Amino acid sequence: MANVNSVRDLQVLLVEPSTSQAHLVRRMLENCGVATVKLVASGAEALAALAEEVPGRVPGRVLMSSLYLPDMAGTDLVEQLRLDARHAALPFILISSETRPQRLEGVRQSGACLIVRKPFTADDLARALNAAVDYLNPPAELEVEEIEALRVLVVDDSFASRQHLQRLLHSLGIEQVTLCNNGKEAVAILSESMVDLVITDYNMPEMDGAALTAYIRQQSWQSDVPILLVTSEQNQGRLAAVERAGVSAICDKPFDAASIRRLISDALH
């Protein structure tokens, strides 16, 4: 695949049911330097267009979508993409005026590049496009001695989020990655296996990230292991409680690869 070095190398598939809004966003994308913009009006059209493409033959492909489509929500669209191995790593940007966290949770958990809130400016759009470029260009391997020996435990109830984090860790040179669905499963793994880093979500069934952090710091024989919280949680009081419990760092979803690389590097040094 050709290198994607800048916004000019991106090819955007824009999913927007409003003709006037679609043409407005296309003009803004072109003004940002995007040379190729294809317009479709529904989730089904977007999936069909992607199905016609040979994987890897469209360098810089980015999917940009509104939240409310005539046949599905943007959250449904990205979740379907993440279940298809051909598009599991496709950069996804959501454009929406929606602010309710429950409506955006699926997008946050899916490994989206960014959520662009309406009304937005050219600068907002440019930031999202640059995030897509970064997404398509994973950061260099971590400068950690014997990185291939690092053992990382990823705890997240979202399949898409687990897969996204695993791909990112592999791109950083970390191959020993164990995945589990919630804190309760993580406790069982930690009781039997030594790890060098725990990356956990906050909101999970059975045992959430706060309870897992408290358990590790107070009861686990691996009480000093670095813990990175990667979460869509917006309640600052809850996040403050997790910080007090002993997480090493907190990163919001959606996140960019460079931020995760920096946080992991800081936690391991």
Side-chain angles (χ1 to χ4, degrees):
M1 182 186 293
N3 290 332
V4 179
N5 299 312
S6 71
V7 169
R8 295 185 181 279
D9 298 320
L10 298 179
Q11 301 187 50
V12 176
L13 176 60
L14 176 62
V15 194
E16 173 54 65
S18 165
T19 302
S20 59
Q21 183 74 9
H23 288 297
L24 172 63
V25 176
R26 180 166 65 180
R27 286 196 299 272
M28 294 182 72
L29 288 169
E30 291 170 348
N31 288 338
C32 287
V34 178
T36 304
V37 182
K38 180 176 181 178
L39 304 180
V40 294
S42 69
E45 289 181 58
L47 292 171
L50 291 170
E52 293 174 357
E53 296 179 358
V54 177
R57 292 291 297 274
V58 183
R61 166 63 76 213
V62 175
L63 183 62
M64 181 176 289
S65 176
S66 291
L67 179 59
Y68 296 111
L69 305 173
D71 55 346
M72 65 180 73
T75 48
D76 299 324
L77 175 57
V78 69
E79 286 169 1
Q80 287 193 43
L81 287 173
R82 295 306 184 231
L83 293 174
D84 186 333
R86 295 171 301 171
H87 308 306
L90 181 71
F92 180 84
I93 299 171
L94 181 75
I95 298 179
S96 178
S97 57
E98 183 62 73
T99 58
R100 289 172 291 179
Q102 64 272 26
R103 295 288 187 181
L104 300 172
E105 185 67 11
V107 174
R108 293 186 186 280
Q109 297 285 4
S110 68
C113 293
L114 209 67
I115 298 174
V116 179
R117 301 198 183 282
K118 296 178 181 178
F120 57 88
T121 66
D123 287 341
D124 296 328
L125 198 57
R127 277 193 294 272
L129 294 170
N130 284 316
V133 173
D134 290 340
Y135 190 101
L136 290 165
N137 291 281
E141 288 190 359
L142 288 166
E143 295 179 0
V144 176
E145 188 174 347
E146 297 183 348
I147 188 171
E148 67 279 356
L150 283 176
R151 295 152 297 188
V152 179
L153 176 61
V154 173
V155 192
D156 200 310
D157 62 318
S158 165
F159 172 81
S161 186
R162 291 196 304 273
Q163 296 302 308
H164 179 46
L165 281 165
Q166 184 178 48
R167 285 193 301 272
L168 176 56
L169 291 169
H170 286 174
S171 75
L172 295 174
I174 300 172
E175 294 296 334
Q176 297 190 56
V177 182
T178 302
L179 307 178
C180 63
N181 295 307
N182 56 59
K184 188 175 180 180
E185 291 184 13
V187 166
I189 292 170
L190 289 167
S191 68
E192 299 179 350
S193 305
M194 187 172 182
V195 301
D196 300 295
L197 174 68
V198 175
I199 301 178
T200 182
D201 190 18
Y202 181 96
N203 292 303
M204 298 179 291
E206 300 289 344
M207 185 182 197
D208 65 16
L212 174 60
T213 299
Y215 169 84
I216 292 172
R217 293 294 181 245
Q218 298 170 19
Q219 301 181 53
S220 174
W221 62 280
Q222 303 185 69
S223 59
D224 293 330
V225 66
I227 304 172
L228 174 59
L229 185 73
V230 181
T231 182
S232 58
E233 176 61 54
Q234 300 296 300
N235 186 306
Q236 294 304 308
R238 291 179 179 176
L239 293 178
V242 181
E243 283 190 288
R244 291 193 297 271
V247 294
S248 306
I250 296 176
C251 184
D252 292 334
K253 292 180 181 179
F255 57 83
D256 61 88
S259 294
I260 287 292
R261 182 187 187 280
R262 184 182 67 254
L263 291 171
I264 291 176
S265 180
D266 291 345
L268 292 174
H269 283 94

